[in-house]
């Protein structure tokens, strides 16, 4: 199997996405990134006018791969999604940073499954980001420090607990700072914060969460 050790990867998932200009901007900023297409992500690949380093899927959605790129064909009856399988291949090949695009529109079950991939990757030593036109999502484990730089096109950041509660949560460098706080998942108050210094610093002593940087639509 080809090794991608030290490389970054971009996985194009198959969720509906009418505006993929953010993917074009990402590719312009990451010209060396490995491009992986998960099944129906083929339509986004064609719209971008780029070639994939790897195509993964059962291709039961009506989109069939063509060209000379590497293809991993899956059976429709399987335990993981095409996007999750693509991520597992990328991890196996040695990537430590993975971005997943075109993964948040459409079905809610697919959305939640895709968001969970950030935690799946983290457990295997990889930093995974979910990217769309308005949001950048990453996983925060207990005891981990997350740095959110000011700018980069995002106005807000939110912390969404995955466990029943976050304990010992500290937020520094933000409009709404807190220290050693407890945040309950059923009554979270860590939504729509803003970076005020050069960066915000986040850390929770117990519990895991999704950290979401976001911006409002401009049209």
């Amino acid at each position: 199997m080809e090794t991608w050790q030290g490389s970054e990867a971009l996985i194009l998932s198959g969720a509906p996405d009418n505006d993929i200009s953010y993917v074009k901007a990402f590719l312009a900023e990451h010209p060396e990134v490995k491009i992986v297409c998960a099944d129906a992500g083929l339509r986004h690949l064609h719209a971008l006018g780029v070639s994939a380093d790897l195509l993964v899927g059962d291709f039961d959605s009506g989109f069939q791969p063509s060209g000379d790129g590497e293809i991993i064909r899956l059976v429709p009856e399987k335990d993981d999604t095409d996007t999750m399988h693509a991520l597992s291949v990328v991890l196996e090949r040695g990537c430590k940073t993975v971005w997943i695009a075109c993964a948040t529109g459409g079905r809610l079950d697919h959305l939640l499954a895709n968001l969970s991939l950030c935690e799946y990757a983290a457990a295997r030593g990889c930093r995974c980001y979910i990217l769309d036109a308005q949001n950048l999502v990453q996983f925060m484990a207990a005891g981990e420090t997350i740095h959110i730089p000011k700018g980069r096109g995002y106005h807000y950041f939110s912390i969404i607990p995955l466990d029943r509660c976050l304990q010992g949560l500290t937020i520094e460098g933000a409009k709404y700072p807190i220290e050693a706080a407890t945040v309950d998942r059923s009554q979270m108050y860590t939504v729509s914060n803003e970076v005020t210094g050069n960066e915000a610093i986040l850390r929770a002593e117990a519990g895991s969460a999704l950290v979401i940087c976001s911006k409002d639509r401009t049209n």
Side-chain angles (χ1 to χ4, degrees):
M1 177 180 293
E2 180 183 359
T3 178
W4 289 354
Q5 194 73 40
S7 298
E8 294 184 335
L10 170 68
I11 298 174
L12 293 175
S13 193
D17 205 335
N18 295 325
D19 178 12
I20 57 171
S21 59
Y22 71 94
V23 184
K24 292 182 180 180
F26 175 88
L27 291 173
E29 294 173 0
H30 299 78
E32 302 301 320
V33 73
K34 299 290 187 180
I35 300 176
V36 180
C37 188
D39 199 77
L42 276 167
R43 65 174 176 270
H44 304 307
L45 185 74
H46 295 158
L48 290 165
V50 296
S51 299
D53 295 281
L54 175 65
L55 305 172
V56 178
D58 52 36
F59 305 109
D60 63 350
S61 55
F63 298 91
Q64 291 297 318
S66 60
D68 300 325
E70 181 184 0
I71 300 173
I72 296 178
R73 288 188 177 271
L74 309 175
V75 296
E77 298 79 13
K78 56 187 183 300
D79 293 332
D80 54 1
T81 65
D82 295 315
T83 302
M84 183 175 185
H85 197 95
L87 176 58
S88 68
V89 172
V90 165
L91 296 179
E92 194 174 346
R93 294 189 178 190
C95 289
K96 297 300 182 183
T97 305
V98 179
W99 309 74
I100 303 177
C102 305
T104 59
R107 288 171 47 177
L108 288 179
D109 54 344
H110 286 172
L111 167 62
L112 293 174
N114 288 336
L115 291 176
S116 74
L117 296 180
C118 293
E119 182 175 6
Y120 174 87
R124 290 155 179 81
C126 175
R127 174 66 62 183
C128 179
Y129 300 92
I130 304 291
L131 177 70
D132 67 19
Q134 290 181 259
N135 307 282
L136 179 67
V137 185
Q138 62 180 304
F139 175 76
M140 181 174 73
E144 179 182 15
T145 299
I146 298 291
H147 298 263
I148 302 178
K150 189 175 181 64
R152 294 194 177 181
Y154 299 105
H155 188 73
Y156 307 104
F157 72 88
S158 300
I159 302 172
I160 310 299
L162 295 177
D163 293 301
R164 188 185 65 80
C165 68
L166 292 177
Q167 297 178 341
L169 177 64
T170 296
I171 302 175
E172 300 175 359
K175 183 176 181 179
Y176 306 109
I178 55 177
E179 183 175 356
T182 297
V183 181
D184 192 280
R185 184 175 60 198
S186 65
Q187 197 174 5
M188 69 185 75
Y189 55 86
T190 50
V191 175
S192 296
N193 209 335
E194 301 174 31
V195 180
T196 54
N198 292 328
E199 65 175 9
I201 301 174
L202 322 177
R203 182 181 178 88
E205 296 303 323
S208 59
L210 292 177
V211 176
I212 304 175
C213 297
S214 58
K215 59 185 176 182
D216 293 320
R217 287 189 180 275
T218 56
N219 52 23

